Amino acid sequence: FFACVPDRQRTIRELTLGKSFIKNEEQNVWMIKHGPDDYKTGKTYGDRPPLMLSAELVPSIDEFLDRWRSHLNPKTNALFCQPRTGQPLTQDSVFQIVTRNCYKYSGKKTNPHLLRDMIVTHVRETDASEKQLEALALYMGHSVQ
């Protein structure tokens, strides 16, 4: 999921069902829609266009929401909740999840911001078009100039 959304951890942990994380039933895809108050540089760049997640993620997201999320006893509409409290993830909890799992699967120490940088570096090293790089910058809350 994080590789599909190279955004700041705050923006990911604050995803809210029905507000910033929405299913487009017509196209059967999940999308992320951020307004100016939903991300760090929103006051500068305003509304972002919706980010359509890959259709390949739909079954996993649907299963998480339909079958597994309720086991977290959510006390909020945040997409991701802490298992013990049902409250939204905190900056520390996201940091721990990312660092533990990156180390577990890669043997390398990393953190959410470094993971974001690694995704961007990977995309820049591919034959991504100028338009694709501009879209990436836009979704990351950066200037497209």
Side-chain angles (χ1 to χ4, degrees), residues 97-108:
I97 291 167
V98 171
T99 55
R100 283 182 189 155
N101 284 289
C102 284
Y103 188 77
K104 178 179 177 181
Y105 293 104
S106 73
K108 298 184 190 240

Side-chain angles (χ1 to χ4, degrees), residues 65-132:
L65 292 173
D66 296 339
R67 184 172 180 192
W68 300 109
R69 187 172 178 275
S70 63
H71 294 282
L72 299 172
N73 298 313
K75 312 260 186 297
T76 174
N77 282 338
L79 175 62
F80 300 113
C81 303
Q82 296 182 55
R84 290 186 205 129
T85 66
Q87 296 298 323
L89 293 177
T90 64
Q91 184 174 349
D92 289 340
S93 56
V94 171
F95 185 89
Q96 288 178 0
I97 291 167
V98 171
T99 55
R100 283 182 189 155
N101 284 289
C102 284
Y103 188 77
K104 178 179 177 181
Y105 293 104
S106 73
K108 298 184 190 240
K109 293 182 180 181
T110 189
N111 61 60
H113 195 82
L114 181 58
L115 180 61
R116 180 178 188 243
D117 290 346
M118 289 166 36
I119 294 164
V120 172
T121 300
H122 171 73
V123 171
R124 286 187 176 161
E125 289 175 350
T126 67
D127 3 334
S129 69
E130 191 64 32
K131 193 170 207 144
Q132 289 169 320

